[in-house]
Amino acid sequence: MAKVIKSFSLDPDVAAFLEARGNASGEINKLVRRQMLSEQVEHVAGRRPGPGERDAARRWARRELDEARAHVEGGAYDEVREAMGWAA
Amino acid sequence: MSESPVQLILDSTALAAYGHNATVGELLNEVEDEELTVLCSTGSLAQALAVDTDRALLELLLQRDSCTAVSPLTEWERFADFLRFVGPGHDVHDAYLVMLAFQHRAYILTTDPGRYRAVHKAVWCIQLQNPWTDGATG
């Protein structure tokens, strides 16, 4: 029996994003896998953050990572890394 | 260990918060979007499990593309050099996470940055925030 493979459509901005990443099927696999894991976590924890909480957490996460990166790229670790012989 | 650069290290308090605090998951999403790596020490995993963190949540965390488990046993000589560098009197596992941070140019996610800054003041920690309620602007 012939195998039926379902197809689906994407919003233009999502399609453009995936095309820009160069490996659309790989990106979709990663996103689907992340979503499935996230749903399992919510099920086990018995807690599902609402969109407002999620958005606030995402903005906070981006801010914190940017601040941390600026700190480290500004040379905060250089002295220790040189002392340990880890400097590039 | 994953080939991609390490950006974040989760201590036991961050591991215990996974699934209960949206900030942990969103940080992991941001790291994964940049195809970077998150390290979880086997010592931190044991510490989290010992304070009744749900084992199923830890297993789901380790299934994420970004997460890699590491052990001080696999790099004990390098760790000995670092312990000599920071001097005596520190919690050995805290010192291991600080070493990982310096070695990989990464940051530690924790509720208690002071314990890691006590090992070396230059280490950068991201302090976990309480979950926001819906409608909060963050």
Side-chain angles (χ1 to χ4, degrees), chain B residues 27 38 53 88 95 99 118 131:
Chain B
L27 274 166
V38 174
T53 300
M99 181 192 81

mmCIF file of all heavy atoms in Angstrom, chain B residues 27 38 53 88 95 99 118 131:
data_model
loop_
_atom_site.group_PDB
_atom_site.id
_atom_site.type_symbol
_atom_site.label_atom_id
_atom_site.label_comp_id
_atom_site.label_asym_id
_atom_site.label_seq_id
_atom_site.Cartn_x
_atom_site.Cartn_y
_atom_site.Cartn_z
ATOM 1 N N LEU B 27 15.524 30.361 29.366
ATOM 2 C CA LEU B 27 16.980 30.481 29.199
ATOM 3 C C LEU B 27 17.509 29.359 28.303
ATOM 4 O O LEU B 27 18.337 29.587 27.407
ATOM 5 C CB LEU B 27 17.683 30.426 30.558
ATOM 6 C CG LEU B 27 17.812 31.742 31.313
ATOM 7 C CD1 LEU B 27 18.199 31.491 32.762
ATOM 8 C CD2 LEU B 27 18.854 32.658 30.665
ATOM 9 N N VAL B 38 24.524 23.718 27.306
ATOM 10 C CA VAL B 38 24.309 23.897 28.740
ATOM 11 C C VAL B 38 24.919 22.685 29.451
ATOM 12 O O VAL B 38 24.674 21.553 29.055
ATOM 13 C CB VAL B 38 22.798 23.961 29.063
ATOM 14 C CG1 VAL B 38 22.568 24.011 30.570
ATOM 15 C CG2 VAL B 38 22.159 25.157 28.385
ATOM 16 N N THR B 53 14.014 16.642 44.146
ATOM 17 C CA THR B 53 13.649 17.102 42.809
ATOM 18 C C THR B 53 13.116 15.906 42.027
ATOM 19 O O THR B 53 13.633 14.801 42.152
ATOM 20 C CB THR B 53 14.893 17.675 42.098
ATOM 21 O OG1 THR B 53 15.381 18.759 42.884
ATOM 22 C CG2 THR B 53 14.559 18.185 40.706
ATOM 23 N N PRO B 88 42.635 26.823 49.515
ATOM 24 C CA PRO B 88 41.845 25.873 50.305
ATOM 25 C C PRO B 88 40.590 26.508 50.895
ATOM 26 O O PRO B 88 40.427 27.727 50.873
ATOM 27 C CB PRO B 88 42.826 25.472 51.422
ATOM 28 C CG PRO B 88 43.694 26.676 51.585
ATOM 29 C CD PRO B 88 43.837 27.288 50.222
ATOM 30 N N ALA B 95 33.451 24.797 43.634
ATOM 31 C CA ALA B 95 34.673 25.175 42.911
ATOM 32 C C ALA B 95 34.702 24.531 41.529
ATOM 33 O O ALA B 95 35.181 25.135 40.555
ATOM 34 C CB ALA B 95 35.902 24.760 43.712
ATOM 35 N N MET B 99 35.127 26.462 38.051
ATOM 36 C CA MET B 99 36.147 26.109 37.060
ATOM 37 C C MET B 99 35.529 25.945 35.667
ATOM 38 O O MET B 99 36.062 26.449 34.677
ATOM 39 C CB MET B 99 36.851 24.801 37.451
ATOM 40 C CG MET B 99 37.946 24.422 36.457
ATOM 41 S SD MET B 99 38.603 22.749 36.631
ATOM 42 C CE MET B 99 37.337 21.814 35.775
ATOM 43 N N ALA B 118 32.184 33.394 46.153
ATOM 44 C CA ALA B 118 33.111 33.144 47.268
ATOM 45 C C ALA B 118 34.309 32.326 46.802
ATOM 46 O O ALA B 118 35.398 32.423 47.376
ATOM 47 C CB ALA B 118 32.387 32.421 48.398
ATOM 48 N N PRO B 131 9.052 33.054 39.494
ATOM 49 C CA PRO B 131 8.185 33.081 38.315
ATOM 50 C C PRO B 131 7.293 34.318 38.318
ATOM 51 O O PRO B 131 6.879 34.782 39.374
ATOM 52 C CB PRO B 131 7.336 31.815 38.490
ATOM 53 C CG PRO B 131 8.067 30.971 39.466
ATOM 54 C CD PRO B 131 8.828 31.905 40.341
#
